């Protein structure tokens, strides 16, 4: 990954760190639109078939750590799936579509 | 707007998977075939950025919060197929790693946020961008959230009707409530998307003008 992308990734981490206190001050623990709708309508829905390996954390430090982990996982998963898909196409003799000339 | 397990009727969950999986498969195929090599890291970085943005809720009316979905932003920058691909990666990680959204309900979450969000966002943007790129970005983002929310309301109402009240909530309650909250959440999504597009237009115009990988037809 070149310097431009590293700078963009670093900017994301910085912005995330800046906005975590704002999130905790104004939004933490409050339900989203779906949760409010369901609770007001008398519905239920927390029988998790899979609780997840981790949570988002209940304090700014834990949430920051979860965010960095998620950022890395999303980056690696998107990049990895794309690489595998493109490699599979190449190995199959079906090259990825050639890039058209840039205007 | 992540649907948990136990909220929707099993038949509705099945329909969600049936509708979402073919679109996701098509999107992965199209992105693998058509995305430019130089945009592979951009696409991965956009997935990471949207993941982080989705963690930060903002307050809206009545003690409710909302967060960026990002389907319209991804569709505006890289195309509808790329948006479905990115949102799918994010939703799967949120579900399996962080327990955000039910694993049985993942099909519905993919349908509401990845598929409907990307199609609405990408479609509105394609229709309006020739008139005003900024207005197109705002409306695309707003409608991507609002239409996804209406789909969730329909799923809640259908679940209630199919199960005799064991799942979901009545449609007469679900539609007005989801519409009310998501008008404000959609405006938040529109403002954030508008801001990001305006910023990128100034600092990275090549990204806004990047080739769009669509679900059908040649890249544009």
């Amino acid at each position: 990954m070149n310097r431009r992308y590293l700078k963009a990734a670093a900017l994301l981490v910085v912005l995330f760190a800046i906005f975590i206190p704002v999130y905790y001050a104004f939004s933490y623990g409050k339900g989203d639109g779906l949760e409010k709708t369901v609770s007001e309508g008398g519905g239920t829905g927390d029988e998790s078939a899979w609780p997840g390996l981790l949570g988002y954390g209940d304090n700014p430090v834990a949430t920051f750590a979860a965010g960095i982990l998620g950022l890395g996982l999303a980056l690696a998963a998107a990049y990895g799936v794309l690489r595998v898909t493109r490699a599979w196409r190449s190995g199959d003799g079906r090259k990825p579509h050639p890039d058209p000339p840039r205007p | 707007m992540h649907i948990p397990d136990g909220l929707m009727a099993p038949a509705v969950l099945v329909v969600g998977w049936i509708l979402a999986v073919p679109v996701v498969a098509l999107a992965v195929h199209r992105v693998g075939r058509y995305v430019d090599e130089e945009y592979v890291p951009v696409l991965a970085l956009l997935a990471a950025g949207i993941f982080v943005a989705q963690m930060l809720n903002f307050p809206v009316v009545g003690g409710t919060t909302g967060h960026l979905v990002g389907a319209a932003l991804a569709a505006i920058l890289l195309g509808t197929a790329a948006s479905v691909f990115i949102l799918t990666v994010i939703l799967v990680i949120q579900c399996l790693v962080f327990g955000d959204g039910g694993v049985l309900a993942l099909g519905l979450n993919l349908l509401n946020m990845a598929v409907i969000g990307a199609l609405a966002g990408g479609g509105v943007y394609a229709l309006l961008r020739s008139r005003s790129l900024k207005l197109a970005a705002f409306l695309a983002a707003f409608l991507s959230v609002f239409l996804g929310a209406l789909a969730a309301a329909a799923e809640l109402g259908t679940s209630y009707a199919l199960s005799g009240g064991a799942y979901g909530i009545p449609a007469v309650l679900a539609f007005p409530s989801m519409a009310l909250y998501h008008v404000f959440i959609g405006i938040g999504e529109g403002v954030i998307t508008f801001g990001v597009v305006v910023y990128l237009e100034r600092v990275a115009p090549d990204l806004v003008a990047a080739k769009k990988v669509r679900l059908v037809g040649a890249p544009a």
Side-chain angles (χ1 to χ4, degrees):
Chain A
M1 204 180 273
N2 69 24
R3 182 179 290 269
R4 182 187 180 193
Y5 301 130
L6 287 174
K7 281 170 69 178
L11 178 66
L12 280 175
V13 173
V14 170
L15 284 174
F16 184 51
I18 290 171
F19 278 100
I20 277 185
V22 179
Y23 161 68
Y24 268 89
F26 296 106
S27 302
Y28 178 72
K30 294 177 180 169
D32 66 11
L34 177 65
E35 289 167 335
K36 292 284 277 188
T37 297
V38 171
S39 68
E40 289 168 3
T44 57
D46 51 5
E47 305 162 11
S48 260
W50 168 254
L53 296 172
L54 307 164
Y56 287 128
D58 54 5
N59 64 71
V61 175
T63 303
F64 181 73
I68 300 305
L69 175 65
L71 186 149
L73 284 174
L75 191 70
Y79 192 82
V81 172
L82 262 178
R83 280 277 166 249
V84 168
T85 308
R86 290 172 73 87
W88 174 78
R89 294 198 71 83
S90 299
D92 203 28
R94 297 152 71 191
K95 300 282 185 195
H97 194 269
D99 298 346
R102 312 285 300 173
Chain B
M1 204 165 64
H2 292 67
I3 297 168
D5 287 333
L7 178 59
M8 301 292 187
V12 176
L13 296 176
V14 171
V15 170
W17 282 106
I18 289 171
L19 293 176
V21 166
V23 183
V24 169
L26 177 63
V28 173
H29 164 76
R30 300 274 302 175
V31 169
R33 181 172 186 197
Y34 287 115
V35 74
D36 285 354
E37 185 62 30
E38 64 180 301
Y39 284 106
V40 169
V42 175
L43 192 146
L45 200 56
L46 190 58
I50 291 174
F51 177 92
V52 165
Q54 285 199 3
M55 285 184 66
L56 297 173
N57 290 28
F58 51 82
V60 291
V61 291
T64 307
T65 65
H67 61 74
L68 184 86
V69 173
L73 177 62
I76 288 167
L77 296 178
L78 296 176
T80 311
S83 177
V84 173
F85 175 85
I86 286 171
L87 267 290
T88 299
V89 167
I90 291 169
L91 288 167
V92 169
I93 291 172
Q94 287 173 333
C95 173
L96 297 182
V97 180
F98 296 100
D100 193 7
V103 70
L104 301 175
L106 182 59
L108 287 177
N109 286 323
L110 288 170
L111 179 66
N112 296 343
M113 287 184 270
V115 176
I116 294 175
L119 288 175
V124 170
Y125 181 73
L127 282 174
L128 298 178
R129 69 177 167 182
S130 59
R131 297 185 183 185
S132 165
L133 187 136
K134 291 164 188 165
L135 178 67
F138 178 85
L139 286 178
F142 174 82
L143 284 172
S144 71
V145 169
F146 192 69
L147 294 180
L150 291 186
E155 292 151 11
L156 284 167
T158 306
S159 291
Y160 187 85
L162 286 178
S163 66
Y167 294 98
I169 62 173
V172 291
L173 298 176
F175 274 101
S177 182
M178 286 295 281
L180 172 68
Y181 290 128
H182 287 86
V183 161
F184 294 98
I185 295 171
I187 290 171
E189 176 100 7
V191 169
I192 294 170
T193 304
F194 170 88
V196 172
V197 170
V198 168
Y199 175 74
L200 289 177
E201 217 183 3
R202 288 177 58 190
V203 302
D206 56 319
L207 185 54
V208 182
K211 186 175 75 177
K212 317 298 181 202
V213 184
R214 301 182 298 191
L215 281 169
V216 291

